[in-house]
Amino acid sequence: MSILTWTYIMVGLTFAIYITIAWRARVTTTKGFYVAGKGVPALANGAATAADWMSAASFISMAGLISFLGYAGSMYLMGWTGGYVLLALLLAPYLRKFGKYTVPDFVGDRYYSDTARVVALICAIFVSLTYVCGQMRGVGIVFSRFLSVDVNTGVLIGMCIVFFYAALGGMKGITWTQVAQYCVLITAYLIPAVAISMNITGQPIPQLGYGSAVASGPHAGQWLLDTMNILNKDLGFAAYTAAFAKGTKPMIDVLAITFALMVGTAGLPHVIIRFYTVPDVKSARISAGFALLFIAILYTTAPAVAVFARYNMINTLNDKPYKEAPSWFKNWETTGLIAWVDKNHDGKVQYRVGAVFKGKPVYTGKEGPLGQKLVSNKLTDSKNELYVDRDIMVLANPEIAALPNWVVALVAAGGLAAALSTASGLLLVIASSISHDLYYRLINRDASEKNRLLLGRIMIGVAVCVAGYFGIHPPGFVAQVVAFAFGLAASSFFPLIIMGIFWKRATREGAIAGMIVGIAFTAYYIINVKWFGGTFWFLNISAEGIGTIGMIFNFVVMYVVSLMTAPPPQEVQDMVESIRYPRGSKEVDAAIDAHS
């Protein structure tokens, strides 16, 4: 069967499973809608957390970035995995013990201020919308290739699907859907990784194949990473394993991005809320451990997938006559995410150092003398003839390696599972921020559950539309957009949560000032650089890493302002002291519940 037929089967089957789960788990109470009734088993919550956290950036874009960045791409691995460890060990148990549905709810009660609650609510919506835009873009890329539609149509299809099961089942439906989505995405990631590792190195375990020798072909007997270094240098790029080499990111930017991703993970509201869905603190700790295990399976495989994809791409495409270009190249060329310009008129596809286009390629609708699609962009480099969107590398990997069509379709289903699982969690954060934190807690405390649920579902629809717009008009690659969201979370929520748990003296005035300064600085920098073409004017740090500086500003401002203002009420200080006990007594837990 063709790739398209297999894709319809794989995607149709998995979507049928997701929708069935959402229908069977549909809810009629706010507790079920926001925190799944606090009855999710630890193992299931671990799988759901892993799926919620491993977005399109993890599945689709991360290995693509590593494939092109080489050593510098490890910042995404270290930042995201390190951040989850930080969240699981340092924050999750305490937040679960506090017992609030949402991060703004925690902020409002811990900092005894409705103003702080509103500022946190705005930050949560801003962070979540930025993040979900990247997921919609990932959905569009998958659909554009495998359902033979353009990227924009793919985004619209994804919007309809995620709205249906997020609005129907709330957190309960989302949780059990995410368990299924984790099974799909991890299977889709591992099967081609194992097969390609066997083909290239003869080693069935990708993590070991990554450090093994090439088994056959012109590079047989050479270590795979040494071969990649040689290939990169021959093409004019820096050595694949070179650290902070010329033409790569400077060390300070790599460190800033890594740290922003790390602390941004610990401040993401859609991940934090997952620890409220289990029955107790012990279950929260266990589910965090399971989630870390499930995440590690994919993240330790990603570097190998990145190397395999780049190795096969160069060997199957570079210096090949266009008429003999492999089918995978022709298939992806129709999406506009890969393009070739015959600059020296020799009829061969040549991949060399340098960017090809000012921006992404725009096709003219005409064909060249060799049948190639012509593009209208001006060329900026004298050597490179090839444009490759980094987000296609994982999705194209099975085709590049000539794996069976059903594997190609399975990877498409896995990419959709990763994007939709995270998108649904983010949409619920947005809905709960409006319907629970704003409407119920501040506007109408007498609102019925029916009205609160209705408002929550309406807000999911609004958020889907906004995310769809930015999915169609993205400010960068999927992983870059997600990195912006992590930077915003790092600069707004992380200092607030850390000091709210571990420093009794933190005041509402300090919290409000810190949040505003941190997220305002970070958002301004990102918008100035990405939308208005500004330079990296602060210590040569990119937009992806500026969240680290915003976080530092937040900490400093919050600390100084807290010392300059009156201490929190004694009951708040007592509550902060009590939630730090790993195993609180029944009296302490009762006191926390009473305060909640």
Side-chain angles (χ1 to χ4, degrees):
M1 288 189 289
S2 67
I3 292 176
L4 184 61
T5 302
W6 271 115
T7 301
Y8 279 125
I9 293 173
M10 293 287 188
V11 173
L13 179 61
T14 54
F15 279 13
I17 293 172
Y18 306 155
I19 292 171
T20 299
I21 292 172
W23 178 259
R24 291 178 63 87
R26 61 191 185 278
V27 295
T28 57
T29 65
T30 53
K31 190 174 182 180
F33 189 80
Y34 294 132
V35 289
K38 295 186 178 181
V40 180
L43 178 61
N45 196 59
T49 303
D52 201 358
W53 184 77
M54 289 191 294
S55 63
S58 294
F59 189 98
I60 295 174
S61 197
M62 180 176 63
L65 283 167
I66 297 172
S67 186
F68 284 85
L69 293 175
Y71 177 89
S74 62
M75 60 192 173
Y76 289 92
L77 284 170
M78 294 185 294
W80 281 333
T81 50
Y84 184 79
V85 174
L86 184 66
L87 172 64
L89 298 181
L90 192 61
L91 302 180
Y94 306 113
L95 289 172
R96 174 60 184 83
K97 192 168 183 179
F98 196 89
K100 289 300 175 184
Y101 285 177
T102 66
V103 173
D105 221 4
F106 164 81
V107 172
D109 280 13
R110 164 59 184 87
Y111 293 102
Y112 51 99
S113 168
D114 286 341
T115 302
R117 187 191 307 276
V118 171
V119 175
L121 181 153
I122 294 170
C123 291
I125 294 174
F126 194 25
V127 169
S128 299
L129 276 177
T130 305
Y131 202 166
V132 80
C133 292
Q135 311 316 305
M136 290 296 100
R137 180 65 178 176
V139 170
I141 289 172
V142 175
F143 278 135
S144 70
R145 164 64 188 93
F146 296 106
L147 296 185
S148 299
V149 298
D150 62 39
V151 174
N152 297 349
T153 302
V155 171
L156 295 175
I157 295 172
M159 288 166 59
C160 296
I161 294 168
V162 75
F163 170 76
F164 178 82
Y165 71 77
L168 183 67
M171 180 56 82
K172 184 177 180 182
I174 286 171
T175 296
W176 292 106
T177 301
Q178 286 173 336
V179 173
Q181 286 167 332
Y182 175 77
C183 296
V184 171
L185 73 87
I186 200 65
T187 301
Y189 208 80
L190 290 179
I191 286 178
V194 170
I196 297 171
S197 182
M198 279 292 296
N199 288 344
I200 295 177
T201 68
Q203 171 59 252
I205 302 175
Q207 292 87 339
L208 298 180
Y210 178 69
S212 298
V214 179
S216 60
H219 306 111
Q222 299 178 7
W223 296 109
L224 178 59
L225 291 177
D226 288 341
T227 301
M228 284 305 308
N229 285 336
I230 294 171
L231 288 175
N232 264 23
K233 288 181 178 179
D234 287 345
L235 298 176
F237 299 99
Y240 190 79
T241 60
F244 317 119
K246 183 179 180 181
T248 64
K249 286 183 174 293
M251 181 172 65
I252 188 172
D253 193 29
V254 171
L255 293 175
I257 294 174
T258 302
F259 200 74
L261 295 175
M262 185 179 296
V263 298
T265 299
L268 286 176
H270 76 292
V271 176
I272 291 172
I273 200 173
R274 289 239 55 95
F275 296 102
Y276 296 139
T277 62
V278 291
D280 49 43
V281 175
K282 179 180 179 181
S283 298
R285 291 181 182 275
I286 295 173
S287 68
F290 277 124
L292 185 59
L293 172 63
F294 296 144
I295 290 168
I297 295 173
L298 186 145
Y299 267 63
T300 56
T301 308
V305 171
V307 171
F308 299 156
R310 186 170 180 84
Y311 178 81
N312 280 334
M313 182 195 77
I314 293 172
N315 285 337
T316 61
L317 187 60
N318 190 43
D319 283 330
K320 293 288 191 300
Y322 180 81
K323 291 183 178 180
E324 300 174 14
S327 60
W328 73 264
F329 175 78
K330 300 292 181 66
N331 291 337
W332 278 97
E333 194 179 23
T334 62
T335 68
L337 299 174
I338 190 169
W340 170 68
V341 176
D342 190 14
K343 298 170 69 172
N344 57 6
H345 307 291
D346 66 351
K348 293 183 178 181
V349 180
Q350 281 150 355
Y351 179 52
R352 296 288 186 270
V353 69
V356 182
F357 305 102
K358 290 182 177 178
K360 295 188 177 182
V362 176
Y363 290 103
T364 64
K366 299 179 181 180
E367 289 188 351
L370 299 175
Q372 75 270 29
K373 296 182 179 298
L374 296 181
V375 297
S376 60
N377 302 67
K378 294 181 180 180
L379 308 178
T380 60
D381 184 80
S382 60
K383 297 179 181 178
N384 202 1
E385 299 181 348
L386 188 66
Y387 167 85
V388 184
D389 190 299
R390 300 175 185 186
D391 288 337
I392 75 170
M393 293 303 290
V394 170
L395 298 173
N397 199 23
E399 288 182 89
I400 298 173
L403 297 183
N405 289 346
W406 68 267
V407 179
V408 178
L410 179 62
V411 171
L416 290 172
L420 295 176
S421 62
T422 301
S424 59
L426 292 164
L427 291 172
L428 193 66
V429 168
I430 296 169
S432 63
S433 295
I434 298 295
S435 63
H436 178 75
D437 296 312
L438 179 62
Y439 179 66
Y440 175 65
R441 295 302 298 267
L442 298 179
I443 297 176
N444 184 6
R445 290 304 299 260
D446 297 323
S448 66
E449 287 204 345
K450 180 179 179 181
N451 288 340
R452 291 161 63 191
L453 286 173
L454 176 62
L455 179 59
R457 285 167 172 147
I458 291 172
M459 293 315 303
I460 286 177
V462 173
V464 164
C465 293
V466 175
Y469 173 82
F470 285 104
I472 293 171
H473 304 285
F477 297 113
V478 172
Q480 285 180 317
V481 177
V482 170
F484 301 155
F486 278 74
L488 294 170
S491 63
S492 56
F493 286 133
F494 182 73
L496 203 71
I497 296 171
I498 286 289
M499 298 185 81
I501 293 173
F502 296 102
W503 191 39
K504 295 187 295 182
R505 186 62 176 76
T507 67
R508 62 187 174 191
E509 294 85 359
I512 294 168
M515 273 192 292
I516 293 174
V517 169
I519 199 166
F521 169 80
T522 305
Y524 169 77
Y525 193 93
I526 291 173
I527 292 170
N528 181 57
V529 169
K530 302 306 293 186
W531 272 274
F532 298 105
T535 59
F536 299 161
W537 51 266
F538 196 98
L539 300 177
N540 203 32
I541 294 175
S542 65
E544 293 89 337
I546 200 63
T548 296
I549 307 302
M551 177 207 65
I552 294 172
F553 287 170
N554 188 336
F555 267 122
V556 172
V557 170
M558 188 174 177
Y559 180 77
V560 172
V561 174
S562 292
L563 291 180
M564 295 172 61
T565 52
Q570 190 59 46
E571 62 268 22
V572 172
Q573 296 190 47
D574 292 342
M575 176 193 64
V576 173
E577 185 72 28
S578 66
I579 65 174
R580 291 206 298 265
Y581 290 106
R583 296 178 182 271
S585 67
K586 292 182 179 180
E587 291 78 10
V588 170
D589 291 340
I592 296 172
D593 292 338
H595 181 82
S596 302

